[in-house]
């Protein structure tokens, strides 16, 4: 362990091949913010080695109090920023490279997913910061993507084989305006950053989306077939990289049917029982560490899926995405 950090163990952590998940670091001496950012710069290879092994690193107990402080921490890592373009979650810019996390109603869970996994360009890493911890609930559970793949392949080999062969098609109708009652309720004007339908079509095509305009001003989007399983070249293993559970359980409103929201790449429906068994596997393998004020969580977006537990207010989590 580098001299500037101390590793701690939390009751909620899991261990895979003697590697803690996630890795949790606290100050070994001073908690000063400027000391932390300088240490990140000098100890970046060490921190990246932990991220490579564990998939997620939690920094706890450091003097990170505000969005500006969090932005300084993100900047210290030196990763290139990925703008939030094309994502479906409602969120707002705060400062610098910092955005709010999903702004949908806190009384709803958000299913497990990788950030922007449906888009051609998704973040390789993402940061979360707890500015105001929830009184109860509101955790951000994490689960390792290769563990999910291995368990699904063991339980449903034919299902996984068809996923790898055919991929998935996602179909979704987006309203004009944001709907904060839904975790994926961003309207098409926010998603494509325009009110011009022609420009929206151009930007959608760059994301691999086909658009069909509705009479009420909404738009139907079709994406795919795209892979449901991918290969982590750095760690040399197959991983679960899709939004099956998110689409099947969350894309439900007056215009969206979750059963039709995600299908095999040949258009055939997914078996409902297997989708819900996948949800059980995600819950069984996940780690949910209660947030504390000042926590900074770094996640490898290929290695780890994340979710959100429901909570009461206040809960204020900020985020930043990296290429």
């Amino acid at each position: 362990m580098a001299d500037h950090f101390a590793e701690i163990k939390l009751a909620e952590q899991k261990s895979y091949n003697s590697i803690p998940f996630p890795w949790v670091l606290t100050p070994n001496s001073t908690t000063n913010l400027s000391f932390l950012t300088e240490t990140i710069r000098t100890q970046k290879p060490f921190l990246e080695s932990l991220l490579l092994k564990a998939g997620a690193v939690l920094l706890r107990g450091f003097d990170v109090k505000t969005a500006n402080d969090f932005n300084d921490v993100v900047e210290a890592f030196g990763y290139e920023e990925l703008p939030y373009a094309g994502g479906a979650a409602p969120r707002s810019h705060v400062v610098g490279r910092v955005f709010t996390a999903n702004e949908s109603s806190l009384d709803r869970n958000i299913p497990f997913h990788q950030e922007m996994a449906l888009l051609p360009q998704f973040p390789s890493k993402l940061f979360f910061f707890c500015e105001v911890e929830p009184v109860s609930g509101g955790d951000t559970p994490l689960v390792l993507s290769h563990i999910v793949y291995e368990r699904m392949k063991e339980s449903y080999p034919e299902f996984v084989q068809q996923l790898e062969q055919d991929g998935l098609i996602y179909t979704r109708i987006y309203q004009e305006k944001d709907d904060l009652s839904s975790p994926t309720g961003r309207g098409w004007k926010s998603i494509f950053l325009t009110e011009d339908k022609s420009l929206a079509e151009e930007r959608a095509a760059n994301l691999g989306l086909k658009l069909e305009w509705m009479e009420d001003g909404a738009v139907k989007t079709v994406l795919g077939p795209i892979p449901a399983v991918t290969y982590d070249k750095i760690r040399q293993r197959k991983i679960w990289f899709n939004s099956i559970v998110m689409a099947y359980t969350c894309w439900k409103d007056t215009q969206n049917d979750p059963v039709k929201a995600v299908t095999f790449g040949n258009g055939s429906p997914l078996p409902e029982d297997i989708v819900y068994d996948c949800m059980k596997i995600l819950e069984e393998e996940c780690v949910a560490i209660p947030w504390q004020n000042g926590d900074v969580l770094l996640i490898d977006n290929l290695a780890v899926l994340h979710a959100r537990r429901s909570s009461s207010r206040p809960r204020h989590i900020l985020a930043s995405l990296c290429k």
Side-chain angles (χ1 to χ4, degrees), residues 276-297:
Y276 279 93
D277 272 358
C278 180
M279 290 176 60
K280 292 179 183 178
I281 289 172
L282 289 161
E283 290 295 332
E284 288 169 3
E285 295 293 344
C286 80
V287 171
I289 297 175
W291 284 110
Q292 291 186 9
N293 289 339
D295 280 353
V296 175
L297 177 64

Side-chain angles (χ1 to χ4, degrees), residues 163-177:
L163 285 180
E164 295 192 63
Q165 174 183 306
D166 296 337
L168 294 165
I169 294 175
Y170 297 88
T171 304
R172 177 75 192 270
I173 295 175
Y174 290 98
Q175 302 298 322
E176 286 188 90
K177 298 180 180 180

Side-chain angles (χ1 to χ4, degrees), residues 4-304:
H4 304 295
F5 298 104
E7 179 186 356
I8 62 170
K9 302 293 185 183
L10 301 177
E12 297 86 0
Q13 285 172 288
K14 289 182 182 290
S15 177
Y16 295 94
N17 297 321
S18 301
I19 297 172
F21 177 65
W23 218 298
V24 184
L25 301 178
T26 59
N28 203 21
S29 53
T30 179
T31 63
N32 182 272
L33 177 63
S34 60
F35 181 81
L36 171 62
T37 55
E38 181 58 30
T39 300
I40 289 171
R41 293 185 185 96
T42 60
Q43 300 297 320
K44 183 179 175 181
F46 165 72
L47 294 169
E48 288 185 324
S49 71
L50 300 187
L51 186 66
L52 178 63
K53 294 175 185 176
V57 177
L58 174 63
L59 302 176
R60 170 163 286 183
F62 296 92
D63 195 20
V64 186
K65 295 180 180 179
T66 68
N68 281 300
D69 295 345
F70 175 48
N71 190 69
D72 289 346
V73 171
V74 174
E75 290 281 4
F77 276 90
Y79 300 128
E80 188 176 354
E81 180 181 10
L82 180 68
Y84 189 64
R91 59 179 67 198
S92 304
H93 180 249
V94 179
V95 64
R97 299 175 54 162
V98 176
F99 285 76
T100 57
N102 195 305
E103 293 180 357
S104 63
S105 178
L106 291 176
D107 62 0
R108 294 190 60 176
N109 291 329
I110 298 177
F112 281 99
H113 62 285
Q114 284 106 337
E115 198 67 32
M116 300 166 67
L118 303 185
L119 302 181
Q121 186 175 32
F122 50 83
S124 66
K125 302 173 185 66
L126 50 148
F127 290 87
F128 289 112
F129 164 61
C130 178
E131 188 173 36
V132 180
E133 66 187 54
V135 176
S136 63
D139 306 336
T140 299
L142 310 175
V143 63
L144 288 165
S145 57
H146 75 285
I147 297 295
V148 179
Y149 171 77
E150 289 169 3
R151 287 203 53 188
M152 286 296 293
K153 187 175 182 180
E154 180 183 6
S155 298
Y156 302 102
E158 293 180 357
F159 173 76
V160 173
Q161 182 179 11
Q162 187 170 356
L163 285 180
E164 295 192 63
Q165 174 183 306
D166 296 337
L168 294 165
I169 294 175
Y170 297 88
T171 304
R172 177 75 192 270
I173 295 175
Y174 290 98
Q175 302 298 322
E176 286 188 90
K177 298 180 180 180
D178 294 352
D179 176 12
L180 296 184
S181 68
S182 170
T184 55
R186 208 173 183 210
W188 68 260
K189 292 180 179 180
S190 295
I191 290 175
F192 302 120
L193 304 176
T194 184
E195 296 186 2
D196 184 289
K197 291 184 177 180
S198 296
L199 186 54
E201 289 174 358
E202 179 182 330
R203 292 176 176 173
N206 291 334
L207 298 173
L209 290 166
K210 298 175 184 178
L211 301 189
E212 179 184 325
W213 297 101
M214 317 287 285
E215 291 184 0
D216 61 357
V219 64
K220 179 181 179 180
T221 66
V222 180
L223 176 66
I226 61 172
V229 173
T230 192
Y231 187 72
D232 185 338
K233 295 179 181 178
I234 296 177
R235 298 175 179 85
Q236 299 185 347
R237 62 197 184 197
K238 287 186 177 181
I239 60 171
W240 194 254
F241 196 78
N242 59 67
S243 295
I244 289 176
V245 169
M246 170 71 82
Y248 206 93
T249 63
C250 199
W251 295 4
K252 184 178 182 179
D253 53 38
T254 55
Q255 291 186 295
N256 286 285
D257 179 355
V259 175
K260 298 177 181 178
V262 56
T263 65
F264 285 115
N266 62 9
S268 60
L270 303 182
E272 183 178 26
D273 60 327
I274 296 180
V275 173
Y276 279 93
D277 272 358
C278 180
M279 290 176 60
K280 292 179 183 178
I281 289 172
L282 289 161
E283 290 295 332
E284 288 169 3
E285 295 293 344
C286 80
V287 171
I289 297 175
W291 284 110
Q292 291 186 9
N293 289 339
D295 280 353
V296 175
L297 177 64
L298 172 57
I299 297 174
D300 184 305
N301 197 37
L302 278 175
V304 174

